[in-house]
Amino acid sequence: MRAARASRPYRVGVVNTLVVLLALWCSPAGVGAQTAPADAAPERGASETREVRRADGSVIVLPPEKARPIRVPRFQTPPTIDGRLDDEAWKTAVVLTDFYQISPGDNIAPSKPTQVYLGYDARHLYMAFYCFDEPDKIRATVAQRDDVFGEDNVRVYLDTFNDQRRAYLLAFNPYGIQQDGIFTEGRGPDFTVDIVMESKGQITADGWTVEVAVPFKSLRYQAGQDKVWGFHVVRNIDRFNDELSSWLPISRDRTGTLNQAAKLVGLEQIDTERTLEIVPSLTLSETGRRVRPAAGADSANNPGLSNSGRFVNEPVKGDLGVTVKYSLSPNVTLDAAINPDFAQIEADETVVTANQRFPIFYPEKRPFFLEGVEIFQSPLQAVNTRSIIDPDVAVKLTGKRGRNTFGLMLASDNAPGSFSEDERNDPALRPRIERFLGKNATIGVLRLKRDIGRESEIGLLGTSYNFIERHNHLGGLDGRFKVDDKTVFGFQVLGTTSRRFFYDPDTNRRVYRDGHALAYQVTYDYTARHLGWFINGLGRSRDYRADVGFTRRTNTNDWTTGLRLSSEPNATATIIEKSWRNFLSADFDFQGRLQSWGTHSSFNLRLQRNTNVNVRGTVGYERLFEEEFGPKRSATQAGAFFGPDAERAAYQRGVSASFRSNPSKKFNGEISVGYSWNQFDFDFGAGRRFPRVSPAALADPKASLDPGPGRAFNLEAELELKPSESWSAELGYTRSNLTRNDTRRVAFDTHIFSWRSTYQFTRFTFVRTRIDYETLTANARGQFLFGWTPNPGTAIYAGYNDDINYNGFNPFTGAFEPQFQRNRRTFFVKLSYLLRRSF
C-alpha cells in the first residue's frame, strides 16, 4: 500500500509536465518561432532535383515542366471513379508523362510508357493512371488490401507538409486494390495504417487504368494559400526484374526519397472540414477451453495418472466498444477508444521460441494504436503499444503545426489486474494476487519533434507507467541530421527511473527499490552509388526499463560497423547487379567485459527473372556470465552455472545461403539454409519432448544450468501460389535444431508448417484459412475467417479459432496424450461500422 500511495503525486506531476510541454510546443508561435515554417520560403515551391548524373557521366537536365512545381487544376465536375478515363474532368487535368526507369536501369527509358492525371475539387484529390502494357502479361490479382506488392502497381508519395521526412504512400494494382501507409525517411514504409479513399481499375486492350479519389479529410496536411506538397509517382512492372520508373529521375548519388520529389501547388480553397468518425463495434464470441483437473481427479487404482483436465464451454459473451476520431483541424487529430475491440482477426506468426535468451518482438496490428504510429517511433523502441495489452480507455492527440510534430497518448490498461477464473479460485495463489485484482495500470506517452532545416529533426520523448508496485518513467532526446547528400547522423539518449522489483544476482532475491539507468543509440551512415558504410552504437545499462516499450537486453553495449560495395546495375545482363557486404560487431557490458564479437561477409547476385542469390560466412566469439542467468556464486551461495566456472565462452563460425525468385505471376518462392558451429545451448530444455541434455542435467535433471556449444541447423522455405486472380495460397516450412558437442544429444529439433489460403469473392469479400503446426510443442493452431471489409472501419467478420495438441503433453500434468486433445476454441462474429460526418 505504501508504494501505491507514493505513486500518486508522482503520477500527477508527470501528467502536468506533459500537458505544459505539449501546450508550449503546440502554441501558434511554437518552439523557436523565429524560424519560418519549412514551406514558407518561396524557393521551396520548386522541385529540388534539377540535374541528375548517371553512372556513365552523362547528366539529365530536367525540362521546364519537370523542374517547376506541378500546378494542380481544379475540376468543375468530379470524375466518376469506375476505372475508365472517359470523364470530361480528365481532359482538364494536368498530365505527367515521360517517366525514367530508376531500377534496375539508371534513369534510362522505361520498358513501357505511363501517364498520370491529377486534379482536385474542394473535397478530393483525384488521380488517374494509364499504364500501357500487354494485357496477357500483366501481373495482377483481386488481392486483399495492402497486398499489391509482388505484382504490377503504381505508387504515390504525398508529402502533405512538404517537410521531406514523412509522406503518405498510396499504391494501387491494375484492379484498383489499395495499399496505404506512411513512408518515413530513414525507416521506410509502414503499411499498417489505413485511410478511407476510393479507387477502381481495369485491364484494357493496351494496358491498365486506375482512377482514385482521396478525400482531403482522410489526410493530415498543411492548409492555406500557397501551400506546397511533395509528390512522387512510381510505376512497378514486376516481370521486368521488378522494374521501377519514376516521373522525376532519382539520383543514386543522393541519399533519400522525399528530398528528390516533385512539388504540387494550387491546392487552394479546400474545404477544411472538421471530421468526426465514430466506429461502434460489437463482438459476440463463444469460447471453450481446457481447465485444470478437479480436485481428487486422480484414479484410486492408478495413482500415477492424472485427469487430463476439463473442457469448459463458456457462455456466449458480448463485447461492446467504440473508437472515435475527431479532426480538430486538417493537421491535428484526437482519437479516443472505450473498451476497444481487439479481436484476433490477425494472429501472430508462429516462430521458433526454443533456446531463446531474450524476448521476441511482435508488431502492432490494432487499428487504434496505428493512427499516427510513426510519430511515436524512435531508434530504441521506447514506445511499443503492444505493452498496452487490454485498455479500458485510451486517448490520443497527434498532429503537426509548422515545424512541430506532437503526440500525446494516455491509456488505462486492465491487463495487469486481470486474472483467469482458475487463478482467482486457486487458494494458494489468491492471497498473493488479492491486492491486484481489478486494478488498472495508467500509461502516458508524450512525443515532440521539431524540424530543423530541410531534412533534419530533433525530438523529445517521455513515457510513464504506473501499477501498484511497478512504476517506470522514461525521458530523453533524439535527432536525425542530414550532414550532406550522402551522409546521415542520428542519435537517441534516454534516462529512466523506476520503482519496482529488480532481481539481484548477488543475493538471488527480487528487491523492491529505485533504479536509475541510461540508454543510448548513435549512427553515422554514408550511402553512395557503389559504396556505403556505417557505424552504429547502442547501449542500455543494467537497471534500464522501458515498460511502455520493447527491450531485448540490458547491461550491454552493441557497436557495429558495416561496408558495402556494389556494381552498376545492368538491366539486360544475366547478372544484373553484384554486391558485397561486410559487418564487424562487438558487444560488451557496462563493467567493460566483452560479451561477444563477430564478423560476417555476404555476397549477393541479382539475376534475371526476379531472382536473387546470397551466400554468407560468419566468424565470431560469444561469452556468457552466470549472473545474466541467475545467482552469482559467492561464499554463501551457489552460482547459476554448474561446476567451477562462472562463465562460458566459445569461438563460433557459420555459413548460410538463400535463393529467392519470382519468375511467374502464378508462383514465387524463397529458401534459406544455414549451418553454424559452436552455437550455445543455454540448457533451458525445450519442453517434455526435449529435456535438458547437458552433462550436468543428464546426471541430475535438477542440476544448475550447464550451457555448452553445439552444431545448429536452420532452414526456412516459402512458396506462394496464385492459381487464379481470386485465389492465393502460401505454404511455409521452418526447421531449427541444435546438437551439443559434449554429449552428442539433441537439445531441440523443431519443425513449423504453415498454410495460408485466401479466396477473394470480390474486392471486399473474402474467406481465409490459416493453419500452423509446430512439432516441438505438438501444437496446431487454425483460423477460418469470412470477412467483408468495404472500407477501414466498416467490417463484418465471422471466424473460428482452434488450438489443438496432437500426440503432445498435458499442460497441467505433463503426461503424454495420444491423438488429438483440444486446448481452446472460439467462435466469434465481429461487427463494426464507420460513421463519418464533416462540419
Side-chain angles (χ1 to χ4, degrees):
M1 294 302 293
R2 177 171 53 86
R5 289 196 299 269
S7 70
R8 186 175 179 182
Y10 196 59
R11 186 162 61 244
V12 172
V14 169
V15 173
N16 287 341
T17 302
L18 297 181
V19 172
V20 170
L21 285 173
L22 183 60
L24 289 173
W25 202 273
C26 302
S27 65
V31 176
Q34 66 275 12
T35 304
D39 54 4
E43 66 271 19
R44 292 303 302 276
S47 297
E48 297 185 26
T49 306
R50 294 189 175 274
E51 292 187 358
V52 174
R53 187 177 298 276
R54 296 190 180 100
D56 59 8
S58 61
V59 176
I60 301 172
V61 179
L62 292 184
E65 65 272 15
K66 290 180 181 283
R68 61 174 175 256
I70 304 166
R71 182 160 292 277
V72 184
R74 189 181 183 94
F75 288 165
Q76 299 303 314
T77 303
T80 302
I81 306 302
D82 55 11
R84 301 181 179 88
L85 276 61
D86 54 1
D87 299 273
E88 288 295 318
W90 297 122
K91 296 179 181 179
T92 64
V94 62
V95 183
L96 310 181
T97 59
D98 301 326
F99 279 52
Y100 300 86
Q101 183 188 144
I102 59 173
S103 178
D106 183 11
N107 296 300
I108 62 177
S111 301
K112 301 291 181 182
T114 306
Q115 295 177 355
V116 178
Y117 300 79
L118 297 173
Y120 82 103
D121 62 18
R123 296 190 174 186
H124 295 83
L125 174 66
Y126 298 100
M127 300 180 288
F129 310 91
Y130 203 131
C131 301
F132 294 90
D133 207 341
E134 300 163 71
D136 60 330
K137 296 182 179 180
I138 294 171
R139 296 188 178 184
T141 61
V142 184
Q144 286 186 277
R145 187 187 188 97
D146 290 339
D147 194 20
V148 307
F149 284 5
E151 54 191 41
D152 295 348
N153 61 79
V154 288
R155 313 171 190 177
V156 173
Y157 298 77
L158 291 177
D159 183 0
T160 55
F161 290 95
N162 191 34
D163 61 12
Q164 302 183 139
R165 293 159 178 85
R166 285 164 294 280
Y168 291 95
L169 177 50
L170 312 178
F172 311 90
N173 80 352
Y175 292 112
I177 306 299
Q178 303 169 4
Q179 183 172 43
D180 47 1
I182 300 294
F183 176 88
T184 303
E185 201 69 78
R187 283 201 297 265
D190 178 3
F191 292 112
T192 56
V193 178
D194 293 329
I195 70 170
V196 177
M197 57 183 170
E198 186 178 4
S199 63
K200 289 186 179 178
Q202 64 170 355
I203 295 178
T204 65
D206 57 352
W208 52 280
T209 59
V210 171
E211 288 181 304
V212 181
V214 183
F216 289 114
K217 63 185 178 182
S218 293
L219 305 175
R220 298 180 179 190
Y221 60 94
Q222 193 79 3
Q225 193 78 9
D226 299 324
K227 295 301 180 183
V228 181
W229 290 13
F231 177 80
H232 255 314
V233 57
V234 178
R235 179 184 176 185
N236 180 200
I237 306 178
D238 190 61
R239 72 181 184 278
F240 294 142
N241 299 305
D242 206 24
E243 177 183 313
L244 297 176
S245 57
S246 169
W247 185 67
L248 278 185
I250 301 297
S251 173
R252 296 180 182 177
D253 294 312
R254 188 176 183 184
T255 301
T257 299
L258 303 182
N259 58 0
Q260 303 189 63
K263 306 299 178 184
L264 296 184
V265 296
L267 298 171
E268 301 171 353
Q269 298 180 355
I270 298 171
D271 289 348
T272 55
E273 305 165 312
R274 293 187 175 184
T275 303
L276 175 65
E277 296 182 4
I278 302 175
V279 182
S281 65
L282 170 64
T283 300
L284 300 173
S285 61
E286 192 277 329
T287 298
R289 61 189 179 92
R290 182 153 46 158
V291 299
R292 290 186 177 277
D298 293 353
S299 170
N301 298 324
N302 298 281
L305 297 179
S306 298
N307 189 306
S308 63
R310 299 172 294 131
F311 195 84
V312 177
N313 290 310
E314 299 175 350
V316 175
K317 182 176 69 173
D319 201 13
L320 286 169
V322 63
T323 59
V324 179
K325 179 190 295 185
Y326 183 57
S327 300
L328 301 174
S329 68
N331 55 345
V332 180
T333 301
L334 176 66
D335 295 86
I338 301 174
N339 191 29
D341 171 49
F342 297 142
Q344 291 185 354
I345 304 303
E346 293 284 348
D348 290 322
E349 297 284 341
T350 299
V351 297
V352 177
T353 57
N355 206 45
Q356 293 289 333
R357 282 182 69 188
F358 307 113
I360 297 173
F361 178 80
Y362 292 98
E364 181 62 86
K365 299 179 180 181
R366 300 171 295 180
F368 172 81
F369 289 113
L370 295 174
E371 172 69 27
V373 65
E374 73 283 355
I375 296 174
F376 297 98
Q377 293 171 339
S378 67
L380 285 169
Q381 293 182 286
V383 177
N384 173 34
T385 51
R386 288 285 297 247
S387 64
I388 307 173
I389 301 170
D390 185 18
D392 288 335
V393 178
V395 180
K396 183 166 50 177
L397 179 70
T398 53
K400 181 166 186 174
R401 297 191 65 188
R403 290 180 177 268
N404 304 317
T405 302
F406 58 88
L408 174 66
M409 179 165 56
L410 303 171
S412 178
D413 189 6
N414 177 60
S418 178
F419 295 87
S420 69
E421 199 66 29
D422 285 346
E423 292 170 323
R424 291 169 181 261
N425 294 331
D426 187 334
L429 181 62
R430 179 71 185 228
R432 295 194 302 234
I433 66 173
E434 187 73 42
R435 62 193 299 251
F436 305 111
L437 293 177
K439 300 295 192 305
N440 281 26
T442 57
I443 298 165
V445 181
L446 174 66
R447 180 66 161 147
L448 306 171
K449 290 198 281 188
R450 171 80 173 176
D451 295 346
I452 301 174
R454 293 191 174 187
E455 300 178 53
S456 301
E457 63 185 13
I458 191 165
L460 298 171
L461 177 65
T463 72
S464 179
Y465 185 102
N466 291 278
F467 178 74
I468 313 295
E469 295 177 344
R470 180 179 167 192
H471 308 280
N472 173 251
H473 308 284
L474 173 151
L477 293 169
D478 63 282
R480 183 178 186 271
F481 301 93
K482 193 70 175 292
V483 179
D484 55 40
D485 283 347
K486 301 180 181 65
T487 310
V488 174
F489 169 75
F491 79 94
Q492 184 167 30
V493 178
L494 297 174
T496 68
T497 179
S498 305
R499 184 156 183 80
R500 55 177 295 162
F501 282 99
F502 289 87
Y503 175 72
D504 182 6
D506 292 324
T507 61
N508 193 26
R509 293 189 302 114
R510 294 174 68 245
V511 180
Y512 190 72
R513 63 175 175 84
D514 291 331
H516 307 287
L518 171 74
Y520 68 90
Q521 187 273 345
V522 61
T523 185
Y524 192 88
D525 186 287
Y526 175 88
T527 301
R529 182 185 295 268
H530 302 303
L531 170 68
W533 60 270
F534 73 89
I535 298 174
N536 185 80
L538 182 152
R540 301 181 181 93
S541 62
R542 186 186 301 275
D543 285 350
Y544 175 84
R545 299 292 184 272
D547 287 351
V548 191
F550 176 81
T551 303
R552 181 168 169 79
R553 187 179 188 181
T554 62
N555 193 27
T556 188
N557 300 270
D558 179 0
W559 282 82
T560 304
T561 182
L563 175 67
R564 170 189 60 85
L565 298 173
S566 58
S567 65
E568 186 65 28
N570 184 343
T572 61
T574 302
I575 301 177
I576 298 173
E577 184 180 15
K578 301 181 288 290
S579 63
W580 171 79
R581 288 173 170 81
N582 189 81
F583 300 91
L584 176 64
S585 65
D587 291 2
F588 53 94
D589 63 22
F590 277 76
Q591 291 74 49
R593 299 179 300 182
L594 180 69
Q595 294 171 318
S596 67
W597 65 261
T599 181
H600 73 259
S601 290
S602 64
F603 187 68
N604 187 78
L605 297 177
R606 183 180 178 187
L607 309 175
Q608 295 289 332
R609 299 177 67 82
N610 285 348
T611 300
N612 281 78
V613 177
N614 180 275
V615 294
R616 171 174 149 169
T618 302
V619 176
Y621 173 82
E622 186 173 10
R623 189 179 179 194
L624 310 178
F625 301 98
E626 67 177 358
E627 60 264 35
E628 296 182 288
F629 294 78
K632 183 178 180 180
R633 65 188 60 202
S634 67
T636 59
Q637 70 177 15
F641 286 172
F642 179 83
D645 297 324
E647 63 179 73
R648 303 283 193 273
Y651 288 94
Q652 302 169 330
R653 63 191 188 276
V655 294
S656 62
S658 64
F659 176 84
R660 176 170 55 86
S661 185
N662 185 12
S664 166
K665 65 180 180 181
K666 295 292 185 182
F667 68 90
N668 65 80
E670 60 182 294
I671 183 171
S672 64
V673 59
Y675 195 88
S676 60
W677 292 264
N678 291 341
Q679 179 176 313
F680 268 109
D681 164 36
F682 300 121
D683 201 22
F684 297 150
R688 293 296 299 270
R689 199 172 299 277
F690 290 97
R692 296 167 57 199
V693 294
S694 66
L698 292 178
D700 178 6
K702 297 181 180 181
S704 300
L705 294 177
D706 189 12
R711 301 181 304 278
F713 174 78
N714 293 281
L715 171 66
E716 294 185 48
E718 184 174 288
L719 177 64
E720 182 179 19
L721 304 173
K722 297 180 178 180
S724 69
E725 293 179 347
S726 300
W727 182 32
S728 65
E730 294 180 20
L731 178 63
Y733 171 70
T734 298
R735 185 184 181 187
S736 182
N737 66 30
L738 177 65
T739 302
R740 287 188 62 123
N741 296 336
D742 45 19
T743 63
R744 307 295 181 184
R745 300 287 188 93
V746 177
F748 69 90
D749 187 5
T750 182
H751 305 255
I752 298 175
F753 302 89
S754 62
W755 166 263
R756 292 158 182 77
S757 176
T758 303
Y759 190 87
Q760 296 280 154
F761 298 101
T762 67
R763 286 180 58 187
F764 308 124
T765 308
F766 67 90
V767 61
R768 184 173 70 208
T769 302
R770 173 174 178 167
I771 300 173
D772 296 278
Y773 177 69
E774 182 183 17
T775 59
L776 187 67
T777 58
N779 179 253
R781 293 186 300 160
Q783 182 184 74
F784 306 91
L785 182 71
F786 168 84
W788 177 69
T789 56
N791 61 53
T794 298
I796 297 176
Y797 294 105
Y800 172 69
N801 296 335
D802 212 341
D803 185 315
I804 297 174
N805 287 348
Y806 177 68
N807 288 339
F809 296 90
N810 186 281
F812 310 118
T813 67
F816 176 76
E817 294 180 326
Q819 302 304 316
F820 290 97
Q821 296 290 335
R822 175 170 281 114
N823 299 313
R824 187 182 183 92
R825 58 127 183 88
T826 302
F827 295 93
F828 69 90
V829 175
K830 176 186 173 182
L831 311 171
S832 64
Y833 187 76
L834 172 62
L835 301 170
R836 201 179 207 204
R837 185 173 180 181
S838 301
F839 305 93

